[in-house]
């Protein structure tokens, strides 16, 4: 009985120590965009059509992939943050 219990408890203890004392954990909460949506506090009206892209994050900023997601029509009212993004115009 003790050997069976030891076989179950010992691996669980080892895993718990691994997760508790691991100093190399990565916090990637910035990748999901929730922090950006929390900052959308300005309500604006769109004055020209804007293309919207969906971004798939890579291992670094240079490896991010942009895919056309849709378009925001002129006259739409949306919430924006204070971040300024390029529209790609010249």
């Amino acid at each position: 009985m003790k050997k069976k219990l030891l076989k179950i408890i010992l691996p669980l203890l080892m895993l718990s120590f691994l997760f508790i004392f691991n100093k190399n954990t990565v916090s990637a909460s910035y990748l999901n965009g929730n922090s950006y949506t929390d900052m959308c506090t300005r309500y604006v009206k769109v004055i020209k059509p804007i293309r919207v892209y969906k971004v798939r994050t890579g291992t670094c900023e240079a490896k991010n992939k942009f895919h056309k997601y849709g378009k925001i029509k002129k006259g739409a009212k949306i919430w924006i943050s204070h971040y300024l993004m390029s529209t790609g115009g010249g």
Side-chain angles (χ1 to χ4, degrees), residues 13-75:
L13 285 172
M14 291 172 64
L15 280 174
S16 64
F17 283 122
L18 178 70
F19 288 120
I20 291 171
F21 297 110
N22 187 4
K23 302 287 184 192
N24 297 327
T25 57
V26 176
S27 176
S29 63
Y30 67 94
L31 295 176
N32 64 15
N34 288 338
S35 60
Y36 293 115
T37 58
D38 291 341
M39 290 185 264
C40 293
T41 56
R42 294 170 48 196
Y43 193 62
V44 296
K45 184 177 179 181
V46 177
I47 58 173
K48 69 177 187 176
I50 301 171
R51 289 187 208 154
V52 179
Y53 294 92
K54 185 175 188 176
V55 180
R56 295 206 177 163
T57 55
T59 54
C60 63
E61 191 172 354
K63 292 183 180 179
N64 289 349
K65 303 227 187 263
F66 295 87
H67 303 281
K68 188 174 179 184
Y69 191 71
K71 205 177 237 189
I72 298 176
K73 296 180 180 178
K74 180 180 177 179

